[in-house]
Amino acid sequence: MTIEQDDTVLGRARVSDTPELNRYYEELATLDAGALWTVANDIEPWYPQPRSVPVLWRYADLRPLVHKALGLVKGDDAGRRVVMLVNPGRKDVSAAAGLLYTGLQIMGPGEAMTAHRHQAAALRFVHEGTGAWTIVDGQKLKVGPGDFAITPNGTWHEHGNDADDAPVIWQDGLDIPLVNALDAGFYEVHPELYQTPGKVINSSVLTYAANLMPYGVEKWTRPYSPLLAYPWEPTYEALRGLAKATEGSPYDGIIAEYTNPVTGGSVMPTMGAHMQLLRPGQATLAHRHTGSVIYTAAKGRGVSVIAGQRFEWKQGDIFCVPSWAWHEHHNLDPAEDACLFSFNDFPVMRSLGFHREEAYPDHGGHQPVTTA
């Protein structure tokens, strides 16, 4: 610890307890008050002290239990049949990391869920199944494996599976813990239980996904992306093209953000999302930043070192990087690329002026591994 981060230095709270002070604290407590200096160093730490810890959830382990839920709980009774992923340090708010929630939702063949809306924003990343659909404010979207879709806060939405042969499993990501931390949660069930979808499926994709701004369409003024679904194939091809044009980031490889085509900003005000490509055998340098990230291995296999711990992953696996944790990635395949989907709370960090980032300064930019 440097002297600048020593709690005994002038400028930090360094009052020692005495019997007289303890009696004073008891007097304050009777009035629901307290002395700031007794907690100041805890509530204003030198640097972020996240309660979340790095975790890897293996899809192969979770998948049988997600399937098991089909026979145990009806979708109509559960509202959403989801196995949530809970960080050991954030069980109090059902978060996967920081104030971000994630879980694996399963829908059986021919199943349809009722519609609702809430204050929390949501996103979906499809793991498996060919019949997945969602209706967002009347727009029906069909999505498949590797596709990413958004459900902005306050929008009516419902989900289902048109296939008759296999379930759909997709990953939900929501900012529920953030909304609840701000005491801003609302929830409504659709008055008719189901929406009437428009006639054109994937109309936002047809309108906005060609990297052209449509002319003659009513100007989009809402604070989230008018493009509600981002298919896997063009996303992957865009990354492959980007890999031909640039070396990419030394910390994230070839990385691109899913954006609002109108503003160029994040897809939603509270959550952003990225897809990144690691070239065969590529190992990135370590860095850290404010803001939590939930990663999903979309393609290939690799290993990530997070806060000195080694986590080996393959397609479908999910892992988290808590705020201000050092992290780096390594594609273990010498011949094939690997892709990581991720979502984060970066828009909140940037909007509030909290964003900070730095590179790992030692050992050539790589962390020593302390835990196998």
Side-chain angles (χ1 to χ4, degrees):
M1 179 183 291
T2 64
I3 190 169
E4 292 83 5
Q5 295 183 352
D6 183 344
D7 282 343
T8 66
V9 301
L10 183 63
R12 292 293 273 179
R14 52 182 188 172
V15 177
S16 298
D17 285 349
T18 66
E20 184 180 15
L21 272 174
N22 288 332
R23 288 192 293 271
Y24 174 62
Y25 300 151
E26 291 172 0
E27 288 183 81
L28 289 173
T30 65
L31 300 177
D32 293 322
L36 172 61
W37 59 84
T38 64
V39 298
N41 294 346
D42 292 328
I43 66 174
E44 291 188 298
W46 292 103
Y47 53 87
Q49 301 285 321
R51 293 170 57 187
S52 305
V53 297
V55 183
L56 183 142
W57 294 272
R58 298 191 184 282
Y59 190 68
D61 294 337
L62 286 166
R63 187 176 183 272
L65 294 177
V66 174
H67 272 265
K68 190 174 183 178
L70 275 174
L72 295 174
V73 181
K74 293 181 179 179
D76 283 345
D77 292 337
R80 297 291 184 266
R81 193 190 294 105
V82 181
V83 172
M84 62 180 181
L85 309 184
V86 184
N87 195 289
R90 299 273 33 200
K91 292 180 180 179
D92 57 325
V93 292
S94 301
L99 295 175
L100 295 173
Y101 161 97
T102 198
L104 292 172
Q105 179 170 174
I106 186 166
M107 293 171 284
E111 193 169 32
M113 305 296 181
T114 54
H116 65 220
R117 66 181 178 182
H118 39 65
Q119 187 78 299
L123 54 84
R124 328 288 174 186
F125 183 79
V126 183
H127 282 254
E128 59 180 273
T130 59
W133 58 265
T134 181
I135 301 174
V136 180
D137 269 355
Q139 180 184 155
K140 187 169 185 177
L141 303 161
K142 298 204 72 172
V143 289
D147 290 357
F148 165 62
I150 63 171
T151 306
N153 75 307
T155 57
W156 293 111
H157 56 283
E158 61 195 89
H159 317 306
N161 177 6
D162 278 341
D164 57 10
D165 59 344
V168 161
I169 298 178
W170 72 30
Q171 182 180 348
D172 294 322
L174 292 94
D175 58 2
I176 291 174
L178 172 64
V179 170
N180 289 337
L182 297 172
D183 292 328
F186 292 92
Y187 186 100
E188 297 176 68
V189 174
H190 196 282
E192 298 177 3
L193 293 183
Y194 300 96
Q195 301 175 76
T196 300
K199 294 181 180 180
V200 180
I201 294 175
N202 286 358
S203 62
S204 74
V205 178
L206 296 172
T207 304
Y208 289 99
N211 293 321
L212 297 170
M213 191 55 58
Y215 183 77
V217 174
E218 183 180 357
K219 184 178 179 181
W220 186 262
T221 58
R222 298 176 189 177
Y224 53 82
S225 173
L227 177 59
L228 300 177
Y230 299 74
W232 160 254
E233 289 82 2
T235 300
Y236 179 55
E237 285 308 308
L239 286 176
R240 286 168 55 89
L242 192 57
K244 296 176 182 177
T246 177
E247 287 299 309
S249 162
Y251 310 106
D252 289 303
I254 303 299
I255 186 167
E257 182 175 9
Y258 295 94
T259 59
N260 178 335
V262 175
T263 66
S266 298
V267 290
M268 294 183 287
T270 55
M271 292 191 294
H274 294 80
M275 184 70 80
Q276 65 195 90
L277 180 149
L278 302 173
R279 294 182 173 92
Q282 182 177 8
T284 70
L285 301 178
H287 71 150
R288 65 182 178 183
H289 45 66
T290 50
S292 303
V293 186
I294 311 295
Y295 286 90
T296 301
K299 180 180 184 293
R301 59 189 179 91
V303 63
S304 295
V305 179
I306 309 166
Q309 300 179 58
R310 187 178 189 274
F311 297 92
E312 191 166 330
W313 45 262
K314 60 183 179 180
Q315 184 172 335
D317 290 348
I318 300 166
F319 61 94
C320 69
V321 173
S323 181
W324 210 237
W326 295 112
H327 57 284
E328 58 195 280
H329 311 294
H330 182 189
N331 180 358
L332 294 178
D333 195 313
E336 298 291 332
D337 59 36
C339 292
L340 292 171
F341 167 80
S342 62
F343 71 96
N344 56 67
D345 55 10
F346 294 171
V348 175
M349 294 294 160
R350 293 193 174 99
S351 294
L352 298 177
F354 293 166
H355 176 75
R356 186 178 296 193
E357 185 172 2
E358 65 182 33
Y360 190 76
D362 303 320
H363 308 294
H366 296 287
Q367 305 164 74
V369 178
T370 58
T371 304

